[in-house]
Amino acid sequence: MLFIDPTAAEWPDARTDYERDALAFCRAWRSDQSEFTLHTSGSTGTPKPILLTRRQLVASARLTGQTFGLMPGDALFVCLNIHYIAGVMMLVRGLELGLPMWLTEPAANPLTEFDTTGSAFAFTAFVPLQLQTILETAPDQLPLLAGCKAILVGGAATNPALERALQVITAPVYATYGMTETVSHIAIRRLNGPAKQDTFSALAGVELGLDARGCLNIRAAATDFERIQTNDVADLITPTEFRLLGRADAIINSGGVKIQPERIERIIQEHLAERGFTGRLFVAGKPNDRLGQRVVAFIEWPDDETKRLTDDEWSAIRADIRATIGPYAVPKEVITVARFAETPTGKVDKGTTMGLNA
């Protein structure tokens, strides 16, 4: 683990290539570099370069600091990949807001190097798999999180089982919504405690809208006040509050019926959560000569056969999907996978996973 004090005249020597890359970014920032090229994660297509200005990065960092009450001296724990926007913005927040940083290379449980005798940081961000791993395998490390002003969870949707499990965390936990083009999160949703929400709330100064498809668009200081159009279908409840419904480019056309796979995923997840299943799953369309696409569920399943669902339990899931969405939404096949393919940021690589399990 590497400790970086943004106010120090000199920083410690790097021991690994990852630490060298992190310090290289910090030095570029300290030298007042004005533009930075980052790459999208590739979870919804081929990774592409995005040129961001220093002004955009500063606007995003300051908005996060304002939202969560971060003050100079509040320590950060940086355990997301610093080659992508989520990790980069953790570094920028530390450098711009005067927040010391503990940095570790991404891992399933990034807390392993910390002494659990007391809280070592005030703010951190995880991907869902990291938080799930901590809750399942290292509950003795939860005291490290107790003193946090906020814990962010992003990069992928949180499932119902994880949201239930994280209620034991006393510090505020928030799901985030954002992307490289919006310079990290522009909206948050409280996941735990009496203030938990089922909708996202835009941060201060963020303007939201919908296009003709019902997809969200975003304008903010972090976008340089340019409107960023997304492919995320949303229900815009108020000018600043929305519910995500799914990706427009993920819609399955089965027999002429358009199906949003995220709705199916949520029903399956709710049933699995009752069994304590916290693993990952996704629903997608596979090519089919008769239907065009057939609905298929992919589930990352443990090797333990005792944890598998019975035929009756699967019948109950299918009946729920049929009653809630319709018969065309019922998965025609369920494919279990030992381990999903992942992008470099830890997101599920659906295309590769489907290709390997065709």
Side-chain angles (χ1 to χ4, degrees):
M1 184 149 24
L2 180 70
F3 181 73
I4 303 173
D5 179 354
T7 65
E10 296 291 336
W11 288 319
D13 293 333
R15 297 164 299 174
T16 66
D17 289 343
Y18 186 82
E19 291 180 357
R20 273 186 282 278
D21 289 346
L23 289 172
F25 177 88
C26 292
R27 293 188 179 102
W29 187 266
R30 182 175 274 184
S31 71
D32 292 328
Q33 184 172 316
S34 61
E35 294 181 334
F36 298 84
T37 299
L38 300 176
H39 287 79
T40 59
S41 65
S43 59
T44 58
T46 304
K48 60 181 179 179
I50 303 287
L51 182 66
L52 298 174
T53 66
R54 186 184 188 90
R55 180 173 60 250
Q56 290 174 270
L57 299 173
V58 168
S60 176
R62 289 180 178 172
L63 182 55
T64 297
Q66 171 189 326
T67 300
F68 300 110
L70 300 180
M71 303 295 291
D74 283 342
L76 306 182
F77 179 45
V78 184
C79 60
L80 298 180
N81 195 325
I82 54 88
H83 298 112
Y84 297 90
I85 190 65
V88 163
M89 282 311 304
M90 289 295 288
L91 297 178
V92 173
R93 290 164 197 145
L95 296 164
E96 184 63 20
L97 303 178
L99 312 177
M101 295 174 278
W102 294 100
L103 178 137
T104 187
E105 197 159 350
N109 178 3
L111 295 178
T112 53
E113 294 184 59
F114 271 113
D115 179 354
T116 58
T117 56
S119 179
F121 47 86
F123 183 81
T124 190
F126 300 113
V127 296
L129 184 60
Q130 289 175 319
L131 190 55
Q132 176 187 319
T133 301
I134 294 166
L135 287 164
E136 289 182 348
T137 67
D140 58 308
Q141 293 175 321
L142 290 178
L144 286 168
L145 306 179
C148 286
K149 291 184 173 180
I151 299 165
L152 306 188
V153 187
T158 54
N159 64 46
L162 176 57
E163 291 185 20
R164 292 181 191 181
L166 60 77
Q167 299 306 311
V168 300
I169 299 175
T170 56
V173 183
Y174 298 90
T176 62
Y177 174 79
M179 59 207 71
T180 308
E181 294 89 338
T182 62
V183 196
S184 190
H185 53 260
I186 55 87
I188 56 174
R189 178 170 71 91
R190 179 71 182 262
L191 295 178
N192 67 334
K196 64 183 179 181
Q197 305 164 283
D198 62 1
T199 58
F200 282 93
S201 299
L203 302 188
V206 174
E207 297 177 14
L208 304 175
L210 298 176
D211 69 1
R213 303 170 299 161
C215 291
L216 203 63
N217 52 57
I218 299 151
R219 183 176 181 269
T223 71
D224 239 356
F225 298 103
E226 293 185 9
R227 192 161 292 279
I228 302 298
Q229 182 60 56
T230 77
N231 281 321
D232 293 318
V233 181
D235 178 11
L236 191 55
I237 301 164
T238 73
T240 60
E241 186 181 3
F242 63 94
R243 181 179 288 106
L244 286 176
L245 303 178
R247 296 276 304 177
D249 48 7
I251 288 176
I252 302 167
N253 190 327
S254 185
V257 178
K258 293 184 178 179
I259 303 161
Q260 195 77 57
E262 291 87 352
R263 293 184 66 196
I264 308 171
E265 292 168 359
R266 192 72 182 182
I267 292 173
I268 298 173
Q269 288 168 341
E270 290 283 2
H271 280 267
L272 294 181
E274 294 176 2
R275 285 280 305 270
F277 178 82
T278 57
R280 298 181 292 183
L281 65 89
F282 67 90
V283 171
K286 290 182 70 173
N288 181 266
D289 291 339
R290 185 172 65 87
L291 298 173
Q293 289 181 300
R294 63 200 296 264
V295 179
V296 177
F298 291 81
I299 301 179
E300 193 175 49
W301 208 274
D303 293 333
D304 186 355
E305 292 288 338
T306 63
K307 295 184 179 181
R308 306 247 171 159
L309 296 188
T310 65
D311 290 341
D312 286 345
E313 287 170 322
W314 276 120
S315 294
I317 292 173
R318 293 187 176 98
D320 195 356
I321 295 169
R322 185 178 295 105
T324 306
I325 307 175
Y328 280 87
V330 177
K332 304 300 185 290
E333 184 180 4
V334 176
I335 297 176
T336 57
V337 179
R339 180 77 177 179
F340 285 159
E342 296 179 351
T343 69
T345 57
K347 297 180 182 180
V348 175
D349 187 333
K350 296 179 182 178
T352 300
T353 299
M354 291 175 67
L356 292 172
N357 297 275

